[in-house]
């Protein structure tokens, strides 16, 4: 049972814990020129705004997420999980709820994690035992509990994956048998792949099952508009995410990941990468070389098709499967509007904005230290200023750098909401309102 503590009266808002920040305000062509030189390729700032809203206390081990017009924090104690909703501007506690603490099942090798997500007025809270608790964002009341992990799909619709293994396939920790381990939906390891997987849609408001789709073997999924792509051992299916009706399907050899690039569903298998036309699911091309996923340096390609090479990653033309250009050995890529951001695979420091088709550099980012996604079209850049007591921020937009402002607090792990950036610091989280 959840224990909820509501604020009975308007509490004095938490005052911003930091002095007012300094805002870049270009005053004519002279200042704009200085900014262009100082930031290396930065675009002239148009109407920008970067304002510190205030701080919210949170333990180092806690997690947080923007949730509509609120911020939700989650902190674990020995006895309970403390969930708190906060007003954003200015920060003020709205309610606190205590959820029962849970323990991972015996034999679990993959932890459930603390990834919160909100949909409408429902907050989904993952538990250590791989169950999910749905909480009313307005009141903190528990609505329902499901024994499975829940993933977001459409507004009001969530997904559940249930893996079914052969009896006796569970891995014996005392066994010296070799081979790949397969992780079930409960975090437990098995020494052979699942016989089948059940993909289900649920009503996030009530927890009611909407539909169920059984498929052969393991399954990976990806949302494309209102449809769900399901890749199983023997086929690729497009499913209506609201009703579960199969709209079209195509024979497939399966894969461990599916990405959407340039109107194609690119399915990454162990030995073959195959691209399917999203409109028809007809195969367009395939390559015998596996994708760049997990390498010794942790290099990644997101939003673009890559394959391994001894010198780095080969970026593939999604229309033909031919090599377009190559990255450096330690470089990873992430989407930035119609461009890509190249960053160091080990340090995660940003390197440059590059043209997605040719790899040609568009902006130098090496003077910045960290990057965080603000959605598909913008990326937040930050760096500690000389002296180590404050940070400056900028946004990458349309391939150019646009300065935002300063803050007198050192932050990390930034996440974005609607016109809001939330970043972690040593004493909790810091809230910033922004417009670029």
């Amino acid at each position: 049972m959840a224990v909820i503590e509501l604020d009975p009266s308007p509490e004095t808002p938490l005052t911003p814990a930091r002095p007012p920040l300094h805002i870049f305000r270009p005053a004519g062509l002279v200042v704009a020129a200085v900014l262009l030189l100082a930031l290396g390729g930065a675009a002239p700032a148009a109407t920008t705004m970067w304002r510190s809203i205030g701080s919210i206390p949170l333990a180092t081990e806690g997690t947080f997420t923007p949730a509509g017009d609120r911020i939700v924090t989650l902190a674990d104690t020995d006895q309970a999980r403390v969930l708190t909703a906060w007003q954003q501007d200015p920060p003020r506690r709205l309610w606190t709820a205590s959820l029962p603490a849970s323990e991972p099942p015996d034999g679990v090798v993959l932890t459930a994690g603390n990834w919160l997500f909100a949909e409408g007025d429902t907050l989904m809270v993952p538990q250590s035992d791989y169950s999910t608790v749905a909480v009313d964002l307005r009141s903190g009341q528990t609505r329902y509990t499901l024994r499975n992990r829940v993933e977001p799909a459409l507004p009001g619709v969530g997904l559940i994956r249930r893996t079914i293994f052969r009896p006796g396939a569970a891995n014996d920790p005392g066994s010296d048998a070799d081979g790949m381990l397969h992780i079930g939906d409960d975090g437990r390891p098995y020494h052979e792949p699942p016989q089948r997987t059940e993909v289900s849609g649920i009503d996030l408001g009530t927890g009611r099952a909407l539909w169920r789709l059984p498929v052969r073997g393991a399954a990976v999924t990806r949302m494309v508009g209102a449809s769900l792509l399901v890749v199983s051992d023997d086929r690729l299916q497009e499913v209506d995410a609201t009703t579960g009706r199969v709209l079209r399907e195509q024979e497939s050899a399966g894969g461990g990941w599916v990405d959407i690039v340039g109107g194609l569903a690119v399915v990454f298998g162990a030995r073959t990468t195959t691209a399917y036309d999203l409109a028809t699911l007809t195969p367009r091309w395939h390559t015998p070389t596996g994708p760049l996923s997990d390498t010794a340096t942790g290099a990644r390609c997101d939003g673009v098709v890559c394959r391994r090479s001894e010198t780095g990653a080969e970026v593939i033309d999604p229309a033909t499967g031919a090599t377009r250009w190559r990255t450096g050995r330690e470089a990873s890529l992430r989407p930035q509007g119609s461009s890509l951001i190249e960053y160091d695979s080990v340090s995660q420091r940003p390197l440059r904005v590059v043209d997605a088709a040719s790899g040609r550099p568009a902006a130098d980012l090496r003077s910045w230290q960290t990057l965080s996604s603000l959605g598909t079209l913008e990326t937040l850049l930050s760096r500690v200023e000389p002296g180590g007591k404050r940070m400056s921020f900028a946004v990458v937009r349309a391939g150019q750098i646009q300065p935002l402002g300063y803050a007198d607090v050192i932050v990390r792990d930034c996440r974005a909401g609607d016109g809001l950036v939330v970043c972690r610091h040593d004493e909790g989280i810091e809230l910033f309102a922004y417009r670029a």
Side-chain angles (χ1 to χ4, degrees), residues 64 89 131 140 339 383 431:
F64 62 93
D89 190 5
S131 64
S339 303
R383 65 187 173 203
L431 280 60

Side-chain angles (χ1 to χ4, degrees), residues 87-152:
Q87 174 183 288
Q88 290 182 5
D89 190 5
R92 180 174 66 85
R93 186 173 67 92
L94 300 174
W95 53 258
T96 295
S98 295
L99 303 180
S102 62
E103 294 294 331
D106 293 339
V108 165
V109 296
L110 183 66
T111 58
N114 278 336
W115 184 60
L116 306 168
F117 80 87
E119 175 55 55
D121 60 1
T122 304
L123 177 74
M124 308 304 291
V125 184
Q127 298 287 80
S128 298
D129 61 0
Y130 275 79
S131 64
T132 302
V133 179
V135 175
D136 189 322
L137 261 177
R138 298 166 299 185
S139 65
Q141 292 278 357
T142 295
R143 287 181 169 174
Y144 58 86
T145 299
L146 298 173
R147 63 166 297 271
N148 301 91
R149 294 296 305 274
V150 179
E151 306 169 20

Side-chain angles (χ1 to χ4, degrees), residues 12-78:
T12 302
L14 295 177
T15 56
R18 312 292 169 186
L21 53 91
H22 307 283
I23 301 175
F24 289 109
R25 294 190 182 278
L29 296 176
V30 174
V31 176
V34 171
L35 288 173
L36 278 169
L37 293 173
L39 289 168
T47 303
T48 65
M49 181 268 286
W50 180 257
R51 177 172 62 89
S52 178
I53 298 175
S55 292
I56 291 174
L58 181 64
T60 304
E61 299 79 11
T63 189
F64 62 93
T65 187
D69 60 353
R70 301 182 176 191
I71 300 292
V72 178
T73 59
L74 176 65
D76 288 317
T77 68
D78 292 337

